[in-house]
Structure formats: C-alpha cells, structure tokens
Amino acid sequence: MTGEPNTESRAATKAAVLKLGGSVITDKSNPETLDTETLDRAADAVAAFEGELVVVHGGGSFGHHHASEHGITTTAGSHDATGARAVHDAMRRLNDAVLDALRECGVPALPLHPLSAATRDDSGELSLATDVVARMLGEGFVPVVQADVVTHVGRGVTILSGDELVVVLARALDADRVGVCSGVPGVFDTDGAVIDRIDSFEDVRAALGGSDATDVTGGMSAKVEALLGLDAPAWVFGLDDLPRFLDGESAGTRIG
Ligand code: IP8
C-alpha cells in the first residue's frame, strides 16, 4: 500500500499536485460554510488544465473546528469514534462540495478519503494508498484527496493535513510540479512583500520565524520546509494566480 504507486497503467506524462487551501474554498469565519464563489473559480481553472492532476484540499471551516472540539491534532490522537467521525464526516461534506463544483465544470473528479486509505505507524510515518491515486490518474480521472483523520498506531486517530498529503503524493507519483493555492499571494518577506523564489530555508528563516512545534499543522514555515524537501518545484500562490500555475508558469513564490 505504501510508497511506490503501480505505474503500469499511467500515461507517460507526469502529474501535477495541487492543494486547494481550506481558507480559499471555505468561509473560515462560519462553521461548515463554503466560499462558493472562490470554489467555483478554482473549479473553472482546474477544468482548463490539460494533463494529469491530483487535487488535495484542506479543512477550512469544515475540519478544523471539529478537530479542536475533540482535541485531535496531527500528533494528539483520540480513540473516540464520535469525534473521529465528526471530523471525517465534515471533511467528506467538503470533499463532496469540491467534487460537485468540479463536475459542474466537466472535470472527471473522484474522491479519495484517507481514513479508508491511509494509516500512521507508531513513529507517525504515513502509509497512503498512492496506487489507487495512480490508477485513477491512469484511467483519466482527477483524484480529489481530502485532509482527514487517519488511524495512528497507539493513538487512535490523528489529523492528516492537506500539506502532508501534498508532499507524500508528490513523492510517490514523482510529480513534475506542485502548487499550494492559499489565502495569501505567496510567502512574505519581513517587509510584507511576496518573495519571488526560495532555494534554502536559511534564506527565509528570519522572515518565517523558524519552524517549531506550534507550526506543524500548516504554518507557512513548516510548509516551506516540507516543500523544499521535494524533487519537484513547488509554488505557493493565491487564487488569482491559479490559472497561471496550471498553465505551467511561475506563480507567487517558487520553492525549490
Ligand atoms: O487544512 C487539516 O488540514 P489542513 C484538516 O490542510 C482537518 O491543515 C481535517 C482538520
């Protein structure tokens, strides 16, 4: 299940991996509320893409408040099935909304719910059924993978963030480019200007304030550090730049 996808049925082109941040597609100030205007814009942009694409989405106002209500984080687990389902079911509702928006634009999107397709071992390492994603791509579908809860050895369930999914999928699928569409136009320097390109974490450590334990659930610092570890180039950008990224151009901040 883990690691290398079965690539036999895949087309020769490499896939792009795109994360739609929860703050882009939901209204974060109101529980379980979509931002339908931005979701539709994102779906329109995805529909114009030619090639293999995996879409990942974060939690926004769907996953996060249930997770904090039940005390579930990427490391703090829970054995309470009710709490696990509260997070998972909310994320599934968001996943359904993303799939519906994509279908409206003619995108052949199919869901992947990591609760049924991923686990963590006792060291926290993730095994994800990337072969399923590769097969979907090979058959011409656009997999849409939600951030979720996943079973975690010894801890019940923990949160699997969209950022971690992006990194794991990009590696397993040998993606050629990675995009993180977020609520900001890129990574900011200390003056608040968007940094054009980041090649090393040291160059931006001061601007990002370092990477620490409070940052593991999706802060920009952890995001940049994880994206720098990929072979594929990655970009962090806002929704206005999504068509540009999908056109193969640079958008926002290039990382690596
Ligand atoms: O929005 C966490 O994923 P993120 C989502 O990518 C959940 O940080 C399930 C709370």
Side-chain angles (χ1 to χ4, degrees), residues 50-255:
E50 286 173 20
E52 293 188 346
L53 180 69
V54 180
V55 176
V56 170
H57 65 81
S61 63
F62 284 69
H64 286 279
H65 73 278
H66 289 293
S68 76
E69 196 178 311
H70 293 278
I72 310 173
T73 71
T74 54
T75 52
S78 169
H79 286 90
D80 173 19
T82 302
R85 280 201 57 198
V87 179
H88 173 73
D89 290 351
M91 288 306 299
R92 209 160 29 77
R93 289 191 281 278
L94 177 56
N95 190 252
D96 283 347
V98 175
L99 290 162
D100 287 347
L102 289 168
R103 187 193 53 208
E104 288 292 308
C105 297
V107 177
L110 287 179
L112 189 96
H113 303 146
L115 177 57
S116 308
T119 58
R120 289 188 200 282
D121 68 14
D122 53 3
S123 72
E125 191 167 320
L126 187 77
S127 292
L128 174 68
T130 52
D131 55 336
V132 175
V133 177
R135 276 285 157 87
M136 285 181 182
L137 287 172
E139 296 303 315
F141 298 110
V142 173
V144 181
V145 189
Q146 66 183 48
D148 208 342
V149 281
V150 290
T151 49
H152 188 143
V153 172
R155 299 188 200 186
V157 297
T158 51
I159 296 292
L160 169 59
S161 75
D163 288 345
E164 186 175 351
L165 279 165
V166 163
V167 168
V168 169
L169 285 163
R171 284 215 177 96
L173 299 169
D174 194 20
D176 63 350
R177 52 205 330 262
V178 172
V180 176
C181 183
S182 80
V184 289
V187 182
F188 296 124
D189 66 15
T190 42
D191 297 324
V194 172
I195 301 170
D196 195 45
R197 182 164 180 164
I198 299 172
D199 286 311
S200 105
F201 192 70
E202 283 317 306
D203 296 346
V204 290
R205 187 182 291 279
L208 298 179
S211 181
D212 60 31
T214 60
D215 203 23
V216 293
T217 54
M220 192 58 89
S221 184
K223 209 187 296 280
V224 168
E225 221 173 357
L227 294 174
L228 277 168
L230 292 176
D231 289 337
W235 286 266
V236 174
F237 50 83
L239 184 60
D240 288 347
D241 270 342
L242 177 56
R244 195 190 304 271
F245 167 77
L246 291 170
D247 272 351
E249 294 170 36
S250 196
T253 301
R254 176 178 168 148
I255 298 171

